[in-house]
Amino acid sequence: MNEVATPAGLESGALPMDTVGNVYVESPRITARNVDVYYGDKKAIDGVTLDIAEKQVISFIGPSGCGKSTFLRALNRMNDTIDICRMEGEIKLDGEDIYAPHIDVVPLRARVGMVFQKPNPFPKSIYDNVAYGPRIHGLATNRAELDDIVTQSLERAGLWDEVKDRLTQPGTGLSGGQQQRLCIARTIAVSPEVILMDEPCSALDPIATAKIEELIHELSNQFTIVIVTHSMQQAARVSNRTAYFHLGKLVEVGETGEIFSNPSHEMTRNYITGRFG
Amino acid sequence: MTDRQDMTTPGAKSDGMMSPDVAARRVAASIGGRRQRERRFKSYGLIAIGIALAFLVILFASIFSKGIPGFFQHYVTLEVTLDRAKLDPAGDLSLQSLYDGDARGAIRAALYEATGASGRSGRKAAGKIISQGAEQRLRKAVIDDPSILGTTQSMVFAVDDDVDSFLRGFISRDTPEADRRINDKMIGYIDQLVADNRIEYAFSDYLIFGSASRNAEMAGIFGAFVGSMLTLSVCLVLAFPLGVATAVYLEEFAPKNRLTEIIEININNLAAVPSVVFGILGLAIFIGIFGMPRSIPLIGGVVLALMTLPTIIISSRAAIRAVPPSIRDAALGVGASRMQTMLHHVVPLAMPGMLTGTIIGMAQALGETAPLLMIGMVAFIVDVPGSVTDPGTVLPVQIFMWADFAERMFVQKTSAAIIVLLAFLISMNAAAIFIRKKLERRW
Ligand SMILES: Nc1ncnc2c1ncn2[C@@H]1O[C@H](COP(=O)(O)OP(=O)(O)OP(=O)(O)O)[C@@H](O)[C@H]1O
Ligand SMILES: [Mg+2]
């Protein structure tokens, strides 16, 4: 797929500088430098350089298969679980290289949490779903503290009122939208610094989507959020910055308003106006 | 597109697409054939199921018709005079004393009285009516309740297996005396006992609580049953943790290289190795090299564990693979280690499948004969094994041995033992279903 002709506007070499717009920010939480990700011999991410700012929402958009998920999963090393996946370049979280040999992925993933495309609550009770992370990381010293964490997480995820009377019932018995908010509650229960969301609303109806978007908006006060989305409107609504990927490359990145009203790169403009993608 | 154009007919539009009405007509035309093929396929399936069911019915009918009588046998009631001095010469109720005593004489006396047998040949004939196990019964009755010594008690003893067969009508009076195992004198005595209402047809406690015996009327499956339990326990304790651990390792932790590939292929092949080979292995290694005793449930269990391991590993791996990857992602995503992901989420979710595999393996092991013959569990052992290192045998081997005996009564007991084995198997499967349901309901 990578051998396919370089699309218009991307003829010159594959240097990171090719990205249009400002990839750097003033106080970055995550800095990615010249990141390449391979699946076997296949290059899925090609020289991406990008800063992710603290307590902001950045959305990744781009056509299917362009590597948004791959890049997102590189940020908390979820790609490690795929045997054939290999990564080159450098990703730092708060100035620390997360791919350094001494880094343990367990605390890393506690700091960089993840919400998946399909709601995937554990087949356990609602309470246990949220309590699982704090339990394994030893965040609560007693039951009361754990109860507090669970309650607060569910409240922050906007799910408390709906489930407070049925905490012992299975999480899988909730509606899709509720399940996704449960997954968000589960993620924030371990107090991460960054939350990665891979198309969190793609399995939800518009009302559930609106709730999640509202939630993302609120959470951005406290967390740094990276969201992959196929919905232009969603990106426009929830994010401060937007990054457009194409065939494994980061084509353009900038303030969301700027990107949507006045994209600099021709490919971005084509994609946003629906001419391809 | 070329395909489409080839199919173009007068009714099709020029752009290569078929017009809706042509398509509808073709669909309608094809439906008849399709329905017929479906019907034919369905009837094949029904025939197959019907044949299988018929065989099952025949099997069960034959086993039950032969086996149910095996659960019963004939008993005779006698008034035995329990003379203290004769039965317990030492007077201390010790086993030694009881064995020195003349239990046989007491029973014989009661028998002669009941039948009116007299003379050498008459007494000999009468003596053959009763089972050799009667003396043991009497001693046991005395041990259980010493106060009966010195009284006359009405006691029930099993009749000899030939007499039993006669009472069931398997031995005809019309056969010439020389050709039957019951002579005319005995028949006379038996008739008298029947006329006196001393003979009863009752549930066979020997079958359930008796051990191996050459006397068909005394033979029972208790020893073999205990042997089976012990062997299966050893098998389960070894095979289940080992199988599950192997499956978890191979599925989740093993690097994908040549070595693990070879291991995988070997495990899959092991499942198809004839079970007798495992018996030879056990014989060579445990008995040959380690010099362990023959016939013990411990080795039987180890051999059967080797045999069931592939089944457990394969089904456990399938169960692990069936756990949706999203659950793993979820656990890893909140920072669980691989080990925690496995232990907290994947293994519990895979457990019903693993248990099913294990119980199927155990059921196989329960019915296995060949490998146990190799390690000598076919020996004639009267004592019930008390531990896994006592010599013993198992149910299927017991059945196998009984099937070899000529006595009519062993045929019935064989079928009865098969019924017990089947009941055992069915209850194991029921337990499996119950456990699965219980585990599944938790989620
Ligand atoms: N596990 C994998 N093994 C091999 N190739 C993969 C794997 N996952 C993704 N890829 C390939 O990497 C490329 C990028 O995939 P990725 O899932 O990151 O795309 P995406 O932008 O998230 O697409 P979508 O919008 O459809 O989710 C694709 O060409 C895909 O085929
Ligand atoms: Mg994706």
Side-chain angles (χ1 to χ4, degrees), chain A residues 1 39 42 44 63-70 82 84 199 230:
Chain A
M1 218 191 214
Y39 289 109
K42 206 186 118 176
S64 190
C66 67
K68 305 176 297 288
S69 300
T70 303
I82 302 169
I84 55 166
E199 301 181 41
H230 272 287

Side-chain angles (χ1 to χ4, degrees), chain A residues 73 78 81 83 106 109-110 112-114 116 118 120-124 132-133 136-137 170 186 190, chain B residues 256 324-338 340-341 344-345 348-349 442-443:
Chain A
R73 289 163 64 91
M78 277 301 277
T81 57
D83 288 331
V106 167
R109 293 199 190 123
V112 185
M114 188 148 193
F116 298 83
K118 221 179 105 229
N120 55 354
F122 299 127
K124 299 182 184 232
Y132 182 69
I136 57 170
H137 295 298
R186 180 176 67 192
V190 294
Chain B
K256 301 273 172 287
S326 63
I327 296 293
R328 277 168 246 243
D329 283 348
L332 293 169
V334 290
S337 65
R338 275 171 108 177
Q340 286 170 326
T341 306
H344 298 168
H345 302 284
L349 284 176
R442 245 204 359 238
W443 312 112

Side-chain angles (χ1 to χ4, degrees), chain A residues 45-262:
Chain A
I45 287 292
D46 187 1
V48 170
T49 291
L50 181 66
D51 282 356
I52 293 170
E54 168 141 34
K55 292 187 188 165
Q56 274 202 357
V57 181
I58 181 168
S59 45
F60 293 173
I61 58 170
S64 190
C66 67
K68 305 176 297 288
S69 300
T70 303
F71 185 65
L72 188 76
R73 289 163 64 91
L75 300 180
N76 71 343
R77 293 185 58 175
M78 277 301 277
N79 283 335
D80 289 15
T81 57
I82 302 169
D83 288 331
I84 55 166
C85 192
R86 195 160 49 82
M87 126 84 190
E88 278 169 16
E90 183 191 76
I91 297 178
K92 285 183 173 171
L93 173 64
D94 297 335
E96 192 179 16
D97 184 358
I98 63 168
Y99 281 86
H102 69 274
I103 289 288
D104 185 353
V105 293
V106 167
L108 170 70
R109 293 199 190 123
R111 288 169 67 194
V112 185
M114 188 148 193
V115 176
F116 298 83
Q117 180 169 0
K118 221 179 105 229
N120 55 354
F122 299 127
K124 299 182 184 232
S125 73
I126 293 170
Y127 184 95
D128 286 338
N129 260 284
V130 184
Y132 182 69
R135 274 198 189 121
I136 57 170
H137 295 298
L139 298 187
T141 51
N142 56 41
R143 178 77 195 204
E145 258 180 54
L146 190 61
D147 284 349
D148 264 3
I149 293 176
V150 171
T151 312
Q152 278 173 20
S153 306
L154 284 170
E155 267 168 2
R156 306 219 49 189
L159 194 59
W160 177 248
D161 290 331
E162 285 154 80
V163 302
K164 61 172 181 270
D165 302 322
R166 47 195 279 209
L167 290 176
T168 55
Q169 283 172 29
T172 39
L174 296 171
S175 76
Q178 288 173 326
Q179 286 188 18
Q180 195 62 301
R181 277 180 283 150
L182 178 63
C183 293
I184 293 175
R186 180 176 67 192
T187 304
I188 59 184
V190 294
S191 307
E193 297 157 28
V194 182
I195 303 176
L196 310 177
M197 298 184 176
D198 195 350
E199 301 181 41
C201 303
S202 65
L204 307 181
D205 70 65
I207 293 170
T209 300
K211 279 195 178 153
I212 303 263
E213 284 179 7
E214 203 176 304
L215 176 60
I216 292 171
H217 193 72
E218 276 166 28
L219 293 176
S220 66
N221 294 328
Q222 190 188 343
F223 304 99
T224 302
I225 296 176
V226 186
I227 176 171
V228 171
T229 177
H230 272 287
S231 154
M232 253 36 88
Q233 293 86 338
Q234 184 169 65
R237 282 192 298 262
V238 300
S239 59
N240 307 92
R241 284 166 87 222
T242 296
Y244 173 67
F245 286 79
H246 190 94
L247 288 181
K249 293 195 164 75
L250 177 56
V251 176
E252 180 167 359
V253 60
E255 297 300 317
T256 298
E258 194 71 11
I259 291 268
F260 282 101
S261 60
N262 186 19

Side-chain angles (χ1 to χ4, degrees), chain B residues 172-187:
Chain B
S172 160
R173 287 162 201 268
D174 304 333
T175 356
E177 185 173 14
D179 292 349
R180 51 177 142 81
R181 304 176 65 136
I182 307 257
N183 60 27
D184 290 342
K185 266 214 169 84
M186 284 171 76
I187 291 181

Side-chain angles (χ1 to χ4, degrees), chain B residues 4-14 16-19 22-23 25-26:
Chain B
R4 289 272 186 175
Q5 265 144 16
D6 288 346
M7 285 178 357
T8 307
T9 56
K13 282 185 191 162
S14 55
M17 290 297 289
M18 203 181 282
S19 78
V22 172
R25 245 182 292 131
R26 289 193 179 177

Side-chain angles (χ1 to χ4, degrees), chain B residues 123-172:
Chain B
R123 297 193 154 191
K124 196 174 164 215
K128 282 208 268 179
I129 288 178
I130 206 148
S131 159
Q132 287 175 20
E135 299 156 34
Q136 192 52 35
R137 276 270 156 116
L138 185 101
R139 288 190 202 106
K140 191 167 176 305
V142 172
I143 292 171
D144 287 349
D145 182 11
S147 70
I148 60 172
L149 279 177
T151 63
T152 296
Q153 293 284 327
S154 175
M155 300 182 96
V156 178
F157 302 109
V159 301
D160 185 74
D161 64 318
D162 289 330
V163 177
D164 190 85
S165 296
F166 172 76
L167 286 165
R168 286 175 200 263
F170 293 140
I171 296 176
S172 160

